[in-house]
Amino acid sequence: MMGRQLAVSGATVLTRRRALCMLEVSVHMMKTTCTLRHLFTACNLLVFTFLLLLYLRQPRESTVSHIPNVVDGPFIALADNKTFIISPYSDPRRSNLIRVLAIVHKSVQDLYCLFYCKKNGYFRVRANIDIVKDRFGFPYETADLLCESPPSCDSVYMSIDTNESEDIREAPVFQIPQVPRGSFSAKLSVCISAFYGQYNNPLQVIQAIEMYKILGASRVTIYNNSCHDNVDKVLRHYIEEGVVDVIPWPIDTFLRTSKKWKYVEGLDSEIGYYGQTASLNDCIYRNMYNSEFVVLIDIDEIILPVKHLDWSSLMRSLQERYPGASVFRFENHAFPSSLKGTGFNPWKHVPGTTILQHYREPSDKESIKPRKMIINPRKVFQTSVHSVLKGEGYSVDIPRQYGFLFHCKQKRNKKYSDTDLIKDEIIWRYNMSLVPKVDGVIQKLFPRH
Ligand SMILES: *[C@@H]1O[C@H](CO)[C@@H](O)[C@H](O)[C@H]1NC(C)=O
Ligand SMILES: *[C@@H]1O[C@H](CO)[C@@H](O)[C@H](O)[C@H]1NC(C)=O
Ligand SMILES: *[C@@H]1O[C@H](CO)[C@@H](O)[C@H](O)[C@H]1NC(C)=O
Ligand SMILES: *[C@@H]1O[C@H](CO)[C@@H](O)[C@H](O)[C@H]1NC(C)=O
């Protein structure tokens, strides 16, 4: 079907003419045989059915052959083996731009967008390769391949090519997602960077997702490289509930990924932290026109309001306080889950750690407090993990008294002894709503025997 919207080749024009000609002759013959008045209606019906059958039988192979399989990403390798396409996105904010998110080797210089126009064949444009410069030092980087969509092309499909003179049939074809019209379907969406290494902490996943829902998230997008069956079961439960979108993230099929975010000489890794930068940028574009705000965090993190109880009222107050801001950065505070005898966990039969902790590590001047963000996606062009690299509006560091990043990490900082830890019961404010919700999901997915 998709081929019909594309350039009509000479061969098809000929077959269509022949079909029309046959059609005229047949209709004429039919009409002459159906002269009786009382047969008129039945005859019209017959003619109509015949026309319909003929229309459906028209050959279309010759047009379809220009559009082989439309691929569905993320991670489509191009012929150079150095460019991996994540997804194209329409970006009409400043011009008629198509922004193709990709991971490219730093040696890649030339890439081309091929637009399949609805009427006049295809159109080739050289891509402007805009690297997401987060300076983590790996040989592969996240990049936006920027191509102006040709005027009056109205293309639904496109290819990315590595060589100007290459046969276009070799290149994979992508469908360009259309910008939806109308209002947002979600006020807040959460973006979680990839689960990897047979990730098996279902208790924390359930608690985190229930917390995001309590705080006001309507959608949670999770990138999935690999997870244990326990977590897979939890994800499937929330997909069914309509809260979670899982994006497959098979990055290690193509690249040697590092568990570290920064490049270490001699470690032979090609990209940092399972392509976290790429997944966060993808998540922004995926949610751009359906969410008012996007929260960029990991599954062991929750941005907690301090003066308010949910994200909507927090964001309303922050927007009043910082008019025109588009990026809101919250400082990290660690609540280690590995402390013996602390934390509330009535679900000991479920693998994983509980987020219901009430000891916070102190943060002295030297301790790193990398921030995580809530952003207005329509004001952001490129993001890194802790800051936005290209955007409109401005970025504010939110003071701790309004909100902070509750980081329920497993490893505790050995620098601090037990007596250094500070009692902080902020998460307990959600106890009454959180505990029964978590309990309900656990009873369904992990019943006690
Ligand atoms: C690209 O990589 C794949 C898998 O490693 C390999 O089979 C293929 O030959 C490579 N292609 C080129 C052009 O190097
Ligand atoms: C592009 O493809 C042509 C024909 O296959 C080849 O001769 C040429 O070297 C290629 N150019 C680059 C830059 O790879
Ligand atoms: C997550 O990824 C793993 C590994 O590819 C896969 O086995 C599992 O089914 C995925 N889970 C979901 C919910 O997509
Ligand atoms: C809340 O927390 C306490 C632990 O301090 C626990 O005993 C109680 O049952 C929890 N649940 C609810 C619903 O209050």
Side-chain angles (χ1 to χ4, degrees), residues 198 224-227 229 231-233 235-236 239 246-248:
Q198 284 289 301
N224 174 29
N225 177 261
S226 109
C227 64
D229 284 350
V231 169
D232 186 63
K233 184 159 68 173
L235 292 178
R236 284 176 202 283
I239 293 170
V246 172
I247 314 295

Side-chain angles (χ1 to χ4, degrees), residues 75 82 155 212 245 249 307 315 317 354 417:
F75 291 101
K82 287 180 174 173
S155 71
Y212 303 149
D245 280 331
W249 199 248
K307 295 196 170 169
M315 292 316 288
S317 121
T354 177
S417 70

Side-chain angles (χ1 to χ4, degrees), residues 47-304:
V47 171
F48 175 75
T49 317
F50 182 74
L51 281 177
L52 190 71
L53 280 177
L54 204 68
Y55 172 76
L56 290 176
R57 279 189 56 100
Q58 271 193 56
R60 282 168 205 163
E61 292 78 3
S62 52
T63 47
V64 174
S65 69
H66 280 299
I67 298 294
N69 324 329
V70 172
V71 292
D72 199 10
F75 291 101
I76 305 297
L78 297 191
D80 62 357
N81 260 2
K82 287 180 174 173
T83 307
F84 303 94
I85 304 299
I86 292 167
S87 179
Y89 288 101
S90 305
D91 185 356
R93 288 175 291 179
R94 285 186 173 167
S95 61
N96 203 6
L97 192 70
I98 302 299
R99 182 183 291 268
V100 183
L101 292 193
I103 289 176
V104 297
H105 189 265
K106 55 188 176 188
S107 65
V108 172
Q109 302 274 332
D110 297 307
L111 290 169
Y112 301 87
C113 293
L114 288 161
F115 292 100
Y116 297 80
C117 304
K118 273 191 179 154
K119 291 200 187 79
N120 35 2
Y122 66 88
F123 202 93
R124 191 188 292 264
V125 183
R126 188 165 196 268
N128 172 10
I129 304 175
D130 189 9
I131 300 287
V132 179
K133 292 199 180 66
D134 52 12
R135 296 176 213 282
F136 298 149
F138 291 93
Y140 277 86
E141 297 165 305
T142 303
D144 291 327
L145 316 178
L146 305 176
C147 292
E148 280 302 325
S149 178
S152 69
C153 174
D154 215 8
S155 71
V156 178
Y157 301 98
M158 71 180 300
S159 288
I160 320 290
D161 209 347
T162 52
N163 183 334
E164 203 169 11
S165 55
E166 221 166 54
D167 188 343
I168 107 163
R169 274 165 298 195
E170 303 281 313
V173 180
F174 301 88
Q175 184 158 8
I176 305 169
Q178 302 300 298
V179 173
R181 287 170 213 282
S183 56
F184 304 126
S185 54
K187 185 148 180 77
L188 278 130
S189 292
V190 181
C191 297
I192 304 288
S193 34
F195 286 3
Y196 60 87
Q198 284 289 301
Y199 183 63
N200 188 19
N201 192 342
L203 179 56
Q204 187 161 13
V205 175
I206 295 170
Q207 289 178 326
I209 294 174
E210 292 301 333
M211 269 307 293
Y212 303 149
K213 282 162 61 184
I214 290 170
L215 289 166
S218 355
R219 190 195 310 267
V220 183
T221 306
I222 297 176
Y223 291 78
N224 174 29
N225 177 261
S226 109
C227 64
H228 189 278
D229 284 350
N230 289 325
V231 169
D232 186 63
K233 184 159 68 173
V234 173
L235 292 178
R236 284 176 202 283
H237 165 81
Y238 286 110
I239 293 170
E240 202 174 306
E241 196 182 284
V243 177
V244 164
D245 280 331
V246 172
I247 314 295
W249 199 248
I251 186 167
D252 53 351
T253 316
F254 304 99
L255 296 168
R256 289 187 299 276
T257 61
S258 166
K259 288 190 180 116
K260 302 221 169 2
W261 56 273
K262 198 173 190 312
Y263 182 65
V264 182
E265 204 67 53
L267 267 194
D268 196 31
S269 47
E270 293 173 319
I271 189 150
Y273 209 51
Y274 285 82
Q276 188 182 22
T277 313
S279 64
L280 293 180
N281 278 282
D282 181 71
C283 198
I284 290 176
Y285 283 95
R286 207 171 271 275
N287 289 300
M288 184 161 292
Y289 296 104
N290 63 33
S291 309
E292 192 173 353
F293 291 106
V294 171
V295 187
L296 305 179
I297 51 180
D298 287 335
I299 195 73
D300 60 356
E301 298 170 333
I302 302 166
I303 288 175
L304 283 183

